[in-house]
Amino acid sequence: MGPLAEYHEHLRAGRFMLQHCATCRAVVFSPRLYCPACKSDALRWQPAAGGGTVYAVTVIARRPDKGGDYNVVLVDLDDGPRMMSRVVGVPAYEVRIGMRVRALITPGSGDEEPLVEFEPG
């Protein structure tokens, strides 16, 4: 099983996991075979802390009948990596750079894999 499939397997089980390099101690996202810092293959899965800070945000305008506006964010995880996602539970235009957020796992529907989204907190 490849690292992306393993990441999704963890999410399906309700666990947000990140890879940690046993050689250089880097925390890695997105899932991969080799550490981008030292090229080691000694990557181990560990639970993510779950917190983070919004680094950047944009709002995608969409007609209300298509679901309405939504945000896309870059979140600096407390663990170290930065990931792209969105903040749910607040209007799209209320998400701000510097906002503290907490990870939550949103189940996939149909053929979609579960994903990590964030909520204020």
Side-chain angles (χ1 to χ4, degrees):
M1 172 184 316
L4 185 58
E6 192 169 352
Y7 172 74
H8 285 129
E9 185 175 289
H10 287 299
L11 291 179
R12 281 191 295 278
R15 298 182 306 265
F16 176 26
M17 305 286 278
L18 296 172
Q19 291 175 303
H20 291 244
C21 180
T23 303
C24 74
R25 303 214 181 276
V27 181
V28 177
F29 186 83
S30 59
R32 53 193 74 207
L33 293 171
Y34 299 97
C35 175
C38 73
K39 310 303 183 228
S40 170
D41 65 353
L43 295 173
R44 308 292 181 258
W45 292 100
Q46 294 183 18
T53 303
V54 174
Y55 173 81
V57 60
T58 191
V59 175
I60 308 301
R62 197 167 51 174
R63 295 188 337 222
D65 63 319
K66 299 290 184 185
D69 300 343
Y70 66 96
N71 63 72
V72 176
V73 296
L74 290 175
V75 173
D76 285 337
L77 299 173
D78 292 345
D79 303 278
R82 180 175 290 158
M83 73 181 294
M84 183 180 292
S85 185
R86 58 190 217 126
V87 177
V88 297
V90 295
Y93 288 98
E94 289 184 17
V95 177
R96 298 283 180 250
I97 292 171
M99 176 186 277
R100 289 291 300 164
V101 292
R102 298 272 326 144
L104 59 97
I105 298 170
T106 302
S109 60
D111 292 341
E112 295 177 357
E113 295 289 352
L115 53 98
V116 175
E117 294 181 312
F118 293 87
E119 61 186 356

